[in-house]
Amino acid sequence: MTDLFATTTDAQPAREQLGEGAVLLRGCVGDDEQALLVDLRTIIKAAPFRHLVTPGGHTMSVAMTNCGRVGWVSDARGYRYDPVDPDSGRNWPEMPPSLRSVAARAAAEGGYENFAPDACLINRYKPGAKMSLHQDKDELDLGAPIVSVSLGLPATFLFGGFTRHAPQKRYRLTHGDVVVWGGASRLAYHGVAPLPEGEHPVMGAQRINLTFRKTR
Ligand code: SIN
Ligand code: FE2
């Protein structure tokens, strides 16, 4: 359990409430980082990053891949969870125990016991890439939270509105931070501001975000 009074080096609290049912757990990845990065490399080899096209015909600035029973895909037909990677024609790589356990531990720290995700969407941001405001609502089970793990360059995360135009708060997410949102915040709008230039000592000139979802 995170010490409520612990602080990270830049004097940010280890735990910050973003809303009802939503919490930012700074540095929550902790000692699981090495195993997670090794497994991530294997996944990315089997299912390389690609820039998806939205149903509206816009190519996303974030590159994506997935692991788990199903993966999130977008094309001219719409958004969906699909067991097959359209680039390879094969199933997505399995979700390794290292990823599962980080997600379950963070969810529990956020107040959601027994989180069992069946999808992990992996987003890669190079400098300039962003994610427009959206809700995660393609999942059938809205009772389960979203667990989002940040790696690499720091980003500004926008979170909190319940309509597209409601104001959001801005949070800096750094390497090893985890955001968990469910309950009353499950359908909160969120997004990521354009990633600033930089070089991360472990991850290089990029940010990688893992979002774990229970889709059914
Ligand atoms: C997402 O909403 O899918 C990604 C959020 C993030 O990159 O922090
Ligand atoms: Fe999202």
Side-chain angles (χ1 to χ4, degrees):
M1 190 65 196
T2 310
D3 179 355
L4 284 175
F5 301 102
T7 53
T8 54
T9 45
D10 49 2
Q12 299 267 42
R15 182 186 182 97
E16 187 171 352
Q17 204 72 29
L18 307 191
E20 195 184 331
V23 67
L24 163 51
L25 303 166
R26 292 194 172 85
C28 182
V29 170
D31 294 340
D32 290 330
E33 176 180 332
Q34 278 315 317
L36 194 142
L37 291 180
V38 167
D39 287 339
L40 202 51
R41 223 162 274 140
T42 307
I43 292 165
I44 291 164
K45 249 193 211 145
F49 285 114
R50 75 289 306 266
H51 291 271
L52 297 178
V53 176
T54 65
H58 166 77
T59 300
M60 297 180 74
S61 61
V62 172
M64 294 179 172
T65 186
N66 294 275
C67 68
R69 184 186 66 80
V70 289
W72 188 87
V73 292
S74 171
D75 59 25
R77 288 186 289 156
Y79 307 121
R80 67 187 178 279
Y81 283 103
D82 199 314
V84 173
D85 173 353
D87 279 14
S88 68
R90 297 189 304 263
N91 289 331
W92 296 102
E94 279 180 22
M95 193 186 300
S98 61
L99 271 68
R100 266 179 206 291
S101 74
V102 171
R105 184 168 55 76
E109 282 193 35
Y112 303 94
E113 296 293 340
N114 305 316
F115 179 51
D118 61 345
C120 174
L121 173 52
I122 305 168
N123 292 315
R124 185 196 64 199
Y125 299 73
K126 297 259 175 97
K130 67 178 172 73
M131 174 98 47
S132 304
L133 280 180
H134 66 280
Q135 297 169 294
D136 292 351
K137 58 177 185 188
D138 298 330
E139 302 74 29
L140 295 176
D141 184 357
L142 293 176
I146 301 286
V147 172
S148 158
V149 173
S150 290
L151 299 167
L153 288 176
T156 298
F157 183 57
L158 313 168
F159 185 86
F162 286 102
T163 61
R164 185 172 296 282
H165 298 290
Q168 309 86 34
K169 284 197 181 156
R170 299 165 80 86
Y171 301 90
R172 182 179 151 91
L173 298 184
T174 65
H175 186 70
D177 290 351
V178 182
V179 184
V180 178
W181 66 94
S185 291
R186 178 60 180 73
L187 290 177
Y189 276 87
H190 59 279
V192 177
L195 191 76
E197 297 283 342
E199 184 70 24
H200 186 271
V202 176
M203 304 295 293
Q206 62 179 346
R207 168 178 189 257
I208 290 184
N209 173 265
L210 316 176
T211 50
F212 294 90
R213 298 114 187 273
K214 184 172 183 298
T215 68
R216 65 173 187 189

